[in-house]
Amino acid sequence: MSFLYEKSDTWRWLVRKTRDSRSFFFTFATVCGVIPGIIGYGVMQVTNSTNPELEARLRQSARPETTMMGKVNQERLAEYLGELKQKQDTNDRYVAALRGETLTRKPYQRIQPVSKPNDTVTTKPQ
């Protein structure tokens, strides 16, 4: 990589021009930042398919576990949004997440308070 900034006359010219000319610097920054962004946006728009027939075919050919996970995620999202809409306390979700747990319960059931861990220590008889 050192050949780029040690021996290349083009690189030295580019550094000199961006250092000496503020307008060249902003033009170069625009070319390096905005133009690729515009090209990327154009590519995303061209490759984004809104064809309902293609979407239906892809949904029909989906694997069963993919379909199941989609339904589960949709149910969880509906439950969570319902709780937010009703302004229910959702702190137990964060407590469970910090413990590395996932809350599983019946859909649309009121959130129960998080139970406290059992602090008693049991010893085995020897």
Side-chain angles (χ1 to χ4, degrees):
M1 219 26 213
S2 67
F3 72 89
L4 183 66
Y5 55 86
E6 286 179 356
K7 297 177 182 153
S8 173
D9 291 333
T10 306
W11 178 255
R12 289 175 183 257
W13 175 83
L14 185 63
V15 169
R16 193 171 38 255
K17 287 291 275 183
T18 55
R19 184 185 60 208
D20 296 341
S21 171
R22 177 172 259 162
S23 61
F24 183 82
F25 172 77
F26 286 116
T27 303
F28 182 71
T30 302
V31 168
C32 289
V34 175
I35 303 298
I38 292 171
I39 292 170
Y41 180 76
V43 168
M44 287 190 292
Q45 294 303 313
V46 169
T47 59
N48 186 13
S49 173
T50 56
N51 184 353
E53 296 170 3
L54 176 61
E55 287 184 21
R57 192 180 74 217
L58 289 173
R59 289 184 194 280
Q60 287 176 350
S61 65
R63 297 185 314 200
E65 58 268 12
T66 305
T67 306
M68 180 188 67
M69 285 305 298
K71 288 179 183 177
V72 167
N73 287 337
Q74 189 175 21
E75 289 172 3
R76 285 183 178 178
L77 180 62
E79 178 184 352
Y80 183 66
L81 291 176
E83 291 170 357
L84 287 177
K85 188 176 183 181
Q86 296 172 5
K87 299 186 191 279
Q88 295 175 354
D89 183 23
T90 58
N91 285 338
D92 62 337
R93 289 184 186 275
Y94 301 111
V95 172
L98 289 173
R99 291 184 191 158
E101 302 168 353
T102 301
L103 293 181
T104 56
R105 59 182 172 265
K106 296 176 188 163
Y108 311 110
Q109 180 180 356
R110 175 82 176 134
I111 295 177
Q112 302 298 318
V114 176
S115 61
K116 298 194 188 247
N118 191 357
D119 291 335
T120 59
V121 177
T122 58
T123 58
K124 283 200 233 175
Q126 293 181 0

